[in-house]
Amino acid sequence: MAMNYNAKDEVDGGPPCAPGGTAKTRRPDNTAFKQQRLPAWQPILTAGTVLPIFFIIGLIFIPIGIGIFVTSNNIREIEGNVFMYYGLSNFYQNHRRYVKSRDDSQLNGDSSALLNPSKECEPYRRNEDKPIAPCGAIANSMFNDTLELFLIGNDSYPMPIALKKKGIAWWTDKNVKFRNPPGGDNNLEERFKGTTKPVNWLKPVYMLDSDQDNNGFINEDFIVWMRTAALPTFRKLYRLIERKSDLHPTLPAGRYYLNITYNYPVHYFDGRKRMILSTISWMGGKNPFLGIAYIAVGSISFLLGVVLLVINHKYRNSSNTADITI
């Protein structure tokens, strides 16, 4: 049977239907949202509204940047607690595949994930037909140099500086995100039974420290390393040197000796290693980048405001002159 063609059906967006049937349509509902009839506001950008914004941004950002920069440069290594950092250069922890190469369920102590890690950990998921704990490229590349600091006294006998290895990780990481596998006994080796160490590690995860509160997945050196850096040149907290007395500086003036047990090669990725000693201020450790960034943004904004003001003044006067001539 032939069907009559109705142009209205095509306009409405629905196919023709048999007589007596229900008409199908793709027309959106007649509502203010779907028909785009919601009230809208669009700012009218004029010289009178844009130029003050540029100047205000410049006047706010430049003083803030100067304050942050001066505060960062005033951080010294002789007062308060001293923080020891290790630094790496040309190490891209922000690579997408590297950042995803971990199993958070395994790190949180999940027993099933311990023996069956996530596929995101490939190719560091299994080794010697055993699951790797902790799995993934982040854990496999953990920094494992040992740093020891000595003060050389008048008798030239090196006196070791006490380096505190606990209290360097975030509280939420230590107590929430990272947990050892459950088990009734204190034998951590038994809890990790059936797993193997990462390929590049010298020893398994349950032998990272003799202190059971700082061993396994809750080892603070391991936790600090697992928090990936955003830039290829970075530093991570290694140890804390606590101030013992207000009458004496944390690190008195003198000659110091740094002993490094070299385990972490960097030549194959053209990297460099360094050790940093620093105190902190209200804005954290010494880092001039934030202050420089504020100063740069404020200066550029203020300069653009001046340029636009000159252009507006010049062409506005030209336009007024042309109107008078006509």
Side-chain angles (χ1 to χ4, degrees):
M1 180 177 68
M3 296 181 62
N4 294 329
Y5 173 77
N6 190 347
K8 186 176 182 298
D9 291 331
E10 183 177 5
V11 174
D12 289 345
C17 61
T22 303
K24 296 182 179 180
T25 178
R26 296 181 181 177
R27 177 187 294 175
D29 296 336
N30 188 21
T31 62
F33 177 76
K34 292 188 176 181
Q35 296 295 336
Q36 299 184 9
R37 295 195 301 266
L38 292 174
W41 176 80
Q42 182 177 1
I44 300 176
L45 301 179
T46 63
T49 58
V50 173
L51 291 178
I53 294 177
F54 278 103
F55 287 116
I56 291 173
I57 293 176
L59 293 175
I60 293 176
F61 274 50
I62 292 177
I64 293 177
I66 293 174
I68 295 176
F69 183 78
V70 171
T71 302
S72 176
N73 286 340
N74 285 338
I75 295 177
R76 295 294 181 263
E77 294 76 30
I78 57 175
E79 297 180 356
N81 293 335
V82 177
F83 297 85
M84 175 185 284
Y85 300 86
Y86 63 85
L88 290 175
S89 299
N90 204 35
F91 192 106
Y92 289 82
Q93 278 198 315
N94 59 354
H95 193 281
R96 182 180 64 86
R97 290 189 61 187
Y98 182 89
V99 171
K100 294 176 62 178
S101 185
R102 61 188 293 164
D103 188 343
D104 288 323
S105 296
Q106 185 191 60
L107 298 174
N108 196 243
D110 187 280
S111 299
S112 59
L114 180 68
L115 300 177
N116 186 26
S118 169
K119 293 182 179 180
E120 296 286 357
C121 291
E122 294 287 0
Y124 303 104
R125 182 170 177 255
R126 303 184 71 87
N127 187 34
E128 300 175 352
D129 202 29
K130 291 183 178 181
I132 296 177
C135 72
I138 307 177
N140 185 67
S141 59
M142 177 181 169
F143 184 84
N144 61 347
D145 279 359
T146 301
L147 307 180
E148 297 174 296
L149 188 63
F150 298 88
L151 173 63
I152 301 177
N154 297 329
D155 54 358
S156 298
Y157 182 79
M159 182 180 65
I161 302 296
L163 303 178
K164 185 180 178 182
K165 56 187 175 183
K166 296 178 68 174
I168 61 175
W170 291 16
W171 186 91
T172 52
D173 289 348
K174 174 79 172 181
N175 297 277
V176 179
K177 295 181 63 176
F178 291 81
R179 295 177 182 176
N180 284 322
D185 54 1
N186 292 326
N187 188 357
L188 201 57
E189 182 178 358
E190 186 66 24
R191 303 191 205 176
F192 284 95
K193 185 178 180 180
T195 65
T196 186
K197 68 178 181 65
V199 177
N200 289 345
W201 283 27
L202 301 176
K203 50 190 175 182
V205 67
Y206 52 81
M207 294 179 61
L208 291 179
D209 200 312
S210 58
D211 184 357
Q212 292 302 309
D213 291 333
N214 192 42
N215 199 12
F217 287 159
I218 59 174
N219 177 264
E220 298 201 22
D221 286 328
F222 172 67
I223 293 174
V224 169
W225 176 258
M226 292 299 291
R227 183 169 285 277
T228 54
L231 300 175
T233 298
F234 60 86
R235 64 182 182 179
K236 293 179 181 288
L237 186 57
Y238 180 72
R239 293 292 181 265
L240 173 63
I241 306 175
E242 292 184 319
R243 188 173 186 177
K244 298 180 180 179
S245 173
D246 294 337
L247 302 178
H248 303 283
T250 310
L251 292 178
R255 296 173 56 207
Y256 288 87
Y257 168 71
L258 178 66
N259 183 49
I260 303 174
T261 304
Y262 190 95
N263 297 315
Y264 198 81
V266 295
H267 59 276
Y268 66 92
F269 60 87
D270 296 327
R272 297 186 64 184
K273 295 186 288 187
R274 64 190 187 279
M275 187 275 288
I276 306 103
L277 294 174
S278 176
T279 56
I280 61 173
S281 66
W282 57 269
M283 55 162 287
K286 187 172 184 178
N287 185 7
F289 173 78
L290 186 61
I292 295 174
Y294 267 93
I295 294 174
V297 172
S299 301
I300 293 173
S301 179
F302 193 86
L303 180 62
L304 285 175
V306 173
V307 172
L308 293 176
L309 180 62
V310 173
I311 293 175
N312 175 70
H313 181 73
K314 177 181 178 181
Y315 283 94
R316 185 179 60 182
N317 291 342
S318 300
S319 177
N320 293 339
T321 303
D323 293 340
I324 295 173
T325 303
I326 292 174

